[in-house]
């Protein structure tokens, strides 16, 4: 099932992200965690793609397994900046063969080697180029990323919004945001993205912070603003792992409920391969929303 069809139904739904292992020896344990999350029957699940394509084989395998075994639509990530055109086209053909209909088209992080090299030698410089090739290569549903607080490499937000519009004009069907911890930033972003003419669905990304050590990493990865309310939560509960876990789940649930209450129908959770966290959030939402919450 194509994700755009899920988004267009306008039912309240939740999706989760999982990431493949870096080593083959970890595959079984990671796949087991992903299957536990899939057993919650989310709207869809996305499977990430490691820097430089290092986990790409596992990305495709996990996406196919979740889709076939649990009948949960999957979104396979695909990065391009560290790949050749030949490699990207091989991955596109592989996705077709595996019946993967949904692709998250990303430029990908710059490796240290790329940062030292001449961009003129790269086959891909922007995700827009990958979106165009996916659009030309098959009937894929294409998602792209966006940063409500501005991509760290953008000159300013106006420039960043225009880059997002380029990706949508190239064929992207929906956007998923980097993690946000303050919903007001997301609502402000929605106003601005609509103002530049982007009308496709935008899915907010929520990351449950369940231990204090995640905070610094989350800020480094996304540059996300941490509201004082959230900082106080970490300060108070951060030294008690069990309490911090429950507080993080409660904070994420509260964010999601607020988004639903303000007309946002689809939310994506960066679940960090933690089935217990995913299940707790899903149960919280089911208890609050009851029959109105579409699994």
């Amino acid at each position: 099932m194509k994700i755009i069809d899920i988004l267009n139904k306008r039912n309240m739904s939740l999706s989760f992200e999982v990431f493949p292992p870096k080593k083959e020896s970890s595959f079984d344990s990671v796949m087991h965690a992903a299957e536990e999350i899939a057993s919650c029957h989310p709207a869809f699940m996305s499977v990430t793609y490691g820097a430089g394509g290092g986990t790409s084989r596992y990305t495709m395998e996990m996406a196919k397994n979740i889709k076939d075994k649990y009948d949960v639509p999957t979104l396979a990530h695909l990065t391009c900046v560290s790949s050749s055109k030949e490699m990207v086209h091989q991955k596109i053909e592989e996705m077709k063969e595996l019946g993967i209909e949904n692709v998250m088209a990303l430029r990908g992080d710059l490796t240290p080697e790329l940062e030292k090299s001449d961009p003129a030698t790269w086959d891909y410089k922007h995700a827009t180029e990958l979106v165009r090739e996916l659009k030309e290569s098959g009937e894929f549903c294409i998602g792209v990323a966006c940063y409500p607080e501005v991509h760290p490499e953008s000159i300013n937000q106006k420039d960043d919004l225009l880059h997002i519009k380029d990706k949508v004009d190239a064929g992207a069907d929906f956007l998923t945001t980097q993690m946000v911890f303050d919903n007001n930033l997301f609502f402000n972003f929605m106003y601005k993205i609509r103002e530049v003419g982007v009308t496709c669905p935008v899915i907010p990304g929520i990351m449950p912070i369940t231990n204090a050590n995640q905070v610094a990493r989350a800020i480094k990865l996304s540059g996300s603003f941490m509201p004082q309310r959230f900082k106080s939560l970490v300060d108070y509960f951060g030294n008690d792992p069990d309490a911090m876990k429950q507080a993080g789940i409660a904070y994420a649930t509260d964010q999601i409920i607020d988004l639903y209450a303000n007309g946002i129908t689809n939310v994506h959770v960066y679940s960090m391969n933690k089935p217990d966290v995913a299940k707790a959030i899903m149960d919280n939402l089911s208890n609050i929303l009851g029959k109105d919450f579409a699994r």
Side-chain angles (χ1 to χ4, degrees):
M1 185 177 190
K2 291 188 176 180
I3 289 169
I4 189 61
D5 295 329
I6 297 170
L7 303 180
N8 285 338
K9 286 182 178 179
R10 303 297 294 170
N11 293 326
M12 284 183 284
S13 67
L14 199 68
S15 56
F16 292 109
E17 181 168 289
V18 293
F19 54 84
K22 293 181 179 178
K23 298 179 180 178
E24 186 173 356
S25 59
S26 303
F27 181 82
D28 287 345
S29 61
V30 171
M31 192 67 242
H32 178 71
E35 288 184 350
E36 282 198 63
I37 295 172
S39 71
C40 295
H41 304 292
F44 68 88
M45 288 175 63
S46 67
V47 186
T48 67
Y49 189 96
T55 65
S56 61
R57 176 166 66 89
Y58 304 125
T59 298
M60 305 302 175
E61 189 173 342
M62 287 179 67
K64 178 176 173 26
N65 185 71
I66 292 166
K67 174 179 66 71
D68 292 348
K69 190 173 180 179
Y70 291 89
D71 196 28
V72 173
T74 51
L75 172 68
H77 289 213
L78 181 63
T79 64
C80 62
V81 71
S82 58
S83 300
S84 65
K85 285 188 176 291
E86 181 182 7
M87 185 184 299
V88 166
H89 292 164
Q90 286 176 354
K91 292 300 176 186
I92 290 172
E93 291 306 312
E94 183 180 347
M95 286 187 287
K96 289 181 183 178
E97 291 173 8
L98 295 175
I100 295 172
E101 299 179 292
N102 305 293
V103 186
M104 188 72 172
L106 304 164
R107 184 199 69 172
D109 296 330
L110 297 179
T111 62
E113 292 77 18
L114 280 172
E115 289 180 337
K116 296 174 185 177
S117 65
D118 181 359
T121 64
W122 305 350
D123 280 3
Y124 298 92
K125 299 179 181 65
H126 305 287
T128 305
E129 298 163 285
L130 177 57
V131 172
R132 288 197 188 99
E133 292 193 2
L134 284 165
K135 202 69 179 177
E136 294 168 358
S137 299
E139 295 298 317
F140 292 109
C141 173
I142 305 168
V144 294
C146 59
Y147 285 68
E149 299 172 59
V150 185
H151 191 285
E153 295 176 26
S154 291
I155 300 169
N156 52 48
Q157 190 167 44
K158 182 179 179 181
D159 181 69
D160 192 36
L161 292 170
L162 292 175
H163 281 303
I164 295 169
K165 188 174 188 304
D166 286 343
K167 290 190 281 189
V168 174
D169 290 344
D173 296 292
F174 66 93
L175 310 175
T176 301
T177 78
Q178 183 56 268
M179 63 193 77
V180 290
F181 297 95
D182 183 339
N183 287 356
N184 289 326
L185 292 172
F186 174 76
F187 295 136
N188 185 54
F189 173 75
M190 286 296 293
Y191 171 79
K192 291 181 177 179
I193 201 74
R194 299 307 189 212
E195 199 172 43
V196 299
V198 174
T199 59
C200 67
V202 182
I203 310 175
I206 301 297
M207 174 180 274
I209 298 292
T210 55
N211 73 71
N213 293 331
Q214 286 181 280
V215 176
R217 177 165 173 76
I219 294 173
K220 182 180 179 180
L221 285 173
S222 65
S224 299
F225 168 72
M226 299 287 183
Q228 186 56 48
R229 175 170 167 254
F230 181 78
K231 292 178 183 177
S232 298
L233 180 151
V234 176
D235 286 344
Y236 191 81
F237 297 108
N239 292 325
D240 183 335
D242 290 337
M244 183 65 223
K245 179 179 177 180
Q246 294 305 317
I249 290 169
Y251 188 92
T253 301
D254 181 65
Q255 273 193 277
I256 296 167
I257 289 295
D258 179 58
L259 290 163
Y260 288 153
N262 282 281
I264 304 301
T265 53
N266 309 101
V267 179
H268 191 61
V269 177
Y270 297 105
S271 50
M272 303 300 290
N273 290 12
K274 295 179 179 177
D276 54 340
V277 174
K279 289 178 180 179
I281 292 173
M282 188 72 92
D283 287 344
N284 286 346
L285 294 173
S286 296
N287 289 335
I288 294 167
L289 298 170
K291 64 181 177 59
D292 293 327
F293 183 52
R295 291 201 181 196

